[in-house]
Amino acid sequence: YKSLRSLITNYMTTEIAKRLNAKDADISQAISTTFAGFLVLTQINGDTPQIRNIFEEAGSLGILGKIESVCSKPLTPEAISIGDNFLQHVLGDRAAGFTAWISLANGLSKVAVNTLVAILAPIFVGYVGDKLLSNQWSMRKLLGLISSQKATYRKFIPEPVS
């Protein structure tokens, strides 16, 4: 979790805050909450070929090398597509609930949270995909690592979800 969260620098947080007309501190907290939520959702959904394919595709796109531009410029259709695929597979019809608790936990509007989730989803899948590919991890190993980090990110997740 810590290495994932550290991908978003203070400068990038400020750029996102400007885009969303929000305070840096609120965006920083919402980023932590969103990444923690993505980790929990990945763990809940487990080892499926669809999720692994999404991660591998994102890892091969080199999204990690474009993080700064993802945070400060409009998303490319490619980034939107990979983020949407991940969100559809892990959230399905629960997307409104996911964004609602991020909104409530961080004092941001649902519109701002939807945009934030759209920005962070490609970064998350790109990061995880890069780790899967470069380390030749199985999904089981990935899920084990996510589980072992739970104490680090649990504080950002509301009780019923964690």
Side-chain angles (χ1 to χ4, degrees):
Y1 171 80
K2 289 180 181 178
S3 63
L4 170 64
R5 180 60 184 90
S6 70
L7 292 173
I8 308 298
T9 65
N10 290 336
Y11 169 77
M12 291 180 225
T13 299
T14 299
E15 288 300 306
I16 294 170
K18 286 179 193 173
R19 284 178 68 182
L20 302 180
N21 197 26
K23 296 178 185 173
D24 285 16
D26 293 341
I27 293 299
S28 181
Q29 182 68 24
I31 291 168
S32 296
T33 303
T34 303
F35 279 151
F38 288 164
L39 289 168
V40 169
L41 290 168
T42 299
Q43 192 171 22
I44 288 169
N45 287 279
D47 186 358
T48 69
Q50 295 89 351
I51 301 250
R52 181 174 182 90
N53 288 341
I54 291 167
F55 286 143
E56 288 179 348
E57 180 184 352
S60 68
L61 293 175
I63 291 173
L64 291 185
K66 305 171 191 170
I67 290 177
E68 195 167 315
S69 66
V70 168
C71 293
S72 61
K73 298 176 183 164
L75 296 171
T76 64
E78 186 177 59
I80 291 169
S81 175
I82 199 74
D84 285 349
N85 284 344
F86 170 72
L87 294 172
Q88 182 60 41
H89 282 290
V90 298
L91 288 173
D93 59 358
R94 300 172 301 190
F98 180 74
T99 56
W101 70 256
I102 295 171
S103 176
L104 289 171
N106 299 287
L108 297 171
S109 72
K110 288 181 184 177
V111 171
V113 170
N114 286 338
T115 302
L116 181 65
V117 168
I119 291 168
L120 297 179
I123 294 169
F124 176 76
V125 295
Y127 175 82
V128 172
D130 182 69
K131 293 294 180 192
L132 281 172
L133 293 173
S134 65
N135 295 308
Q136 298 180 349
W137 290 346
S138 67
M139 281 298 287
R140 184 165 296 186
K141 172 144 178 124
L142 171 68
L143 295 172
L145 289 169
I146 291 171
S147 182
S148 72
Q149 297 265 323
K150 195 170 191 172
T152 307
Y153 62 81
R154 185 179 185 145
K155 63 186 169 193
F156 299 107
I157 306 292
E159 257 330 289
V161 178
S162 65

